[in-house]
Amino acid sequence: MYKKFMKRALELATEYQGKTSPNPIVGAVLVKDGKIIGEGAHQKAGEPHAEVNAVNNATEDVTNSTLYVTLEPCSHHGKTPPCTDLIIKSGISEVYVAMQDPNPLVNGSGIQKLLDNGVEVHVGLLEREAMQLNEVFVCNVRHKRAFVAMKAALSLDGKIAASSGDSKWITNEESRTEGHGLRGLYDAILVGKNTFLTDNPSLNIRHGIEGCHEPQKIILMDRMNLSKRQISESNTYITLNENTLYIALPDTSENRANAERIGLKQVEFIYFSSFEEFAYHLFQMGIMSVLVEGGSSVYHSFLTDGIVDKLYLFFAPILLGDEGLGWSGSLGVERVSDAIKFREVEVKSLNGDSLVICYPLGV
């Protein structure tokens, strides 16, 4: 019975994926005499937390009720007052917490404050599910860098294009719609220069989560040799709206000099010496997560630098053969034991295609 209520809290939180950055997504359920009397979720950064919304939405007095919440209630003053104070003041007698908040400003202090004020607290109910739901937030807090996810559309033999470079369309319409929907979950979308020039992508959300923010757009290059016209006439630039187009480059004097000549409104440059440093830069800029969409050299660079937190691999039931363009490049694996390994593999069927979601082992 307890799991049922926490599952509901997780469902409420899931509805706001992609909408609360840089905050975590949190759901809360109030239960009294075995029935739900209030529900809530954190909907947007700076707005009331899930616990507040659950109390405010309650259909009866919450005194002696039980709260199920997916993340430890906050105990500090931020943009909103501490949720622990509201819980204590409201007379809620018992709290089930799915996961402890890794944020040093909380990190157990919320639980302790509740215990010190006579509230019974249980920690760890559906913790794994809650951790996965807030994987971006956990990565941000623990590693002080952006969460990096990669998405690729592949043939069964792992090719992202035929020998001619043709890649439209490897996967079916349902897969493409699912892939566009992923964009709404991340703060930024990244592609390499070749993908930018060859596909001329808009990098916006045409199918996805209603009410989510439009992600930032990043072009990753090894050398700054794009012209002002190539950038300004691209679909990527034309569809910016109020966002910024970021061009990420290795930090060299030549790249900096060439970048200075661009002088386009809403175009900024990110310089880095490693992909780990690049992920740190994004975090410091307020970009908490990035979805990498190709091409092969970009996938290869992130994989070999070990800065990949999650993979979305869309497989179509076709073969393109040895002549096709592989997605990951040479990884220098000489023995099976040296392979990059993955965990928590989930497979989803998409009208004949398959979506494989997994996490590199050790991340």
Side-chain angles (χ1 to χ4, degrees):
M1 180 175 69
Y2 305 116
K3 286 185 178 181
K4 176 182 73 173
F5 297 128
M6 189 62 81
K7 282 181 179 178
R8 178 55 186 159
L10 289 166
E11 288 173 0
L12 291 167
T14 302
E15 292 177 14
Y16 292 91
Q17 279 186 296
K19 302 175 184 179
T20 65
S21 182
N23 287 2
I25 48 176
V26 185
V29 170
L30 278 168
V31 176
K32 193 170 184 179
D33 298 327
K35 68 174 184 177
I36 294 175
I37 63 168
E39 296 184 339
H42 180 46
Q43 300 179 14
K44 187 178 180 180
E47 294 188 358
H49 289 185
E51 300 93 323
V52 176
N53 288 329
V55 170
N56 289 343
N57 293 333
T59 56
E60 59 181 88
D61 182 15
V62 302
T63 304
N64 293 323
S65 64
T66 299
L67 173 69
Y68 293 79
V69 62
T70 59
L71 183 70
E72 176 183 2
C74 65
S75 55
H76 65 289
H77 283 271
K79 292 182 179 179
T80 58
C83 291
T84 49
D85 291 357
L86 174 68
I87 293 168
I88 295 164
K89 182 180 178 180
S90 299
I92 296 168
S93 59
E94 189 174 18
V95 177
Y96 282 84
V97 176
M99 63 173 281
Q100 186 170 310
D101 191 338
N103 185 344
L105 293 174
V106 185
N107 197 25
S109 63
I111 293 167
Q112 190 59 52
K113 186 172 184 179
L114 294 175
L115 290 170
D116 291 345
N117 284 272
V119 180
E120 187 176 348
V121 182
H122 313 270
V123 183
L125 180 63
L126 301 186
E127 180 181 34
R128 179 175 169 274
E129 291 85 346
M131 291 280 286
Q132 187 169 347
L133 189 63
N134 267 312
E135 59 195 9
V136 170
F137 177 70
V138 172
C139 174
N140 297 159
V141 172
R142 287 182 175 174
H143 305 299
K144 304 299 180 186
R145 66 166 176 82
F147 182 93
V148 178
M150 295 203 310
K151 181 192 82 173
L154 308 169
S155 63
L156 286 179
D157 48 354
K159 309 299 181 182
I160 59 173
S163 58
S164 65
D166 176 45
S167 62
K168 291 186 170 47
W169 295 104
I170 287 179
T171 52
N172 62 30
E173 185 175 354
E174 188 170 340
S175 288
R176 296 196 297 275
T177 300
E178 182 89 6
H180 278 293
L182 293 176
R183 291 179 173 180
L185 304 181
Y186 294 90
D187 288 350
I189 306 169
L190 181 149
V191 297
K193 182 184 71 174
N194 291 338
T195 300
F196 172 76
L197 292 174
T198 303
D199 295 346
N200 190 21
S202 297
L203 301 184
N204 59 0
I205 301 175
R206 298 188 289 280
H207 316 283
I209 302 172
E210 184 179 348
C212 65
H213 63 277
E214 190 71 34
Q216 301 285 2
K217 306 177 186 188
I218 305 173
I219 306 169
L220 181 68
M221 306 171 58
D222 55 356
R223 292 178 59 240
M224 183 56 216
N225 53 6
L226 287 177
S227 69
K228 183 174 181 177
R229 181 175 179 178
Q230 283 176 308
I231 298 171
S232 63
E233 294 183 357
S234 69
N235 288 333
T236 308
Y237 184 80
I238 292 169
T239 57
L240 274 180
N241 296 322
E242 299 301 316
N243 279 358
T244 299
L245 173 61
Y246 294 100
I247 298 178
L249 298 157
D251 193 358
T252 67
S253 57
E254 180 184 4
N255 279 337
R256 284 182 178 269
N258 290 335
E260 286 178 5
R261 299 190 186 105
I262 295 299
L264 275 173
K265 183 182 178 182
Q266 294 176 266
V267 175
E268 295 182 13
F269 295 88
I270 305 170
Y271 301 100
F272 63 93
S273 57
S274 69
F275 283 94
E276 185 174 21
E277 182 186 359
F278 173 62
Y280 289 140
H281 280 331
L282 293 182
F283 173 76
Q284 291 163 1
M285 293 162 54
I287 296 176
M288 300 294 137
S289 60
V290 58
L291 180 64
V292 178
E293 295 197 354
S296 60
S297 62
V298 175
Y299 293 139
H300 176 265
S301 296
F302 276 98
L303 284 168
T304 53
D305 260 32
I307 306 298
V308 178
D309 298 294
K310 189 172 188 176
L311 290 181
Y312 299 95
L313 302 178
F314 292 83
F315 285 95
I318 60 172
L319 297 174
L320 292 175
D322 289 344
E323 300 80 7
L325 178 62
W327 80 282
S328 61
S330 175
L331 299 176
V333 178
E334 295 183 358
R335 300 175 61 86
V336 173
S337 59
D338 297 327
I340 298 175
K341 301 176 179 66
F342 298 87
R343 60 181 173 83
E344 296 184 36
V345 178
E346 176 189 349
V347 181
K348 183 176 180 179
S349 180
L350 297 167
N351 194 29
D353 288 355
S354 296
L355 168 59
V356 176
I357 305 172
C358 54
Y359 301 83
L361 194 64
V363 172

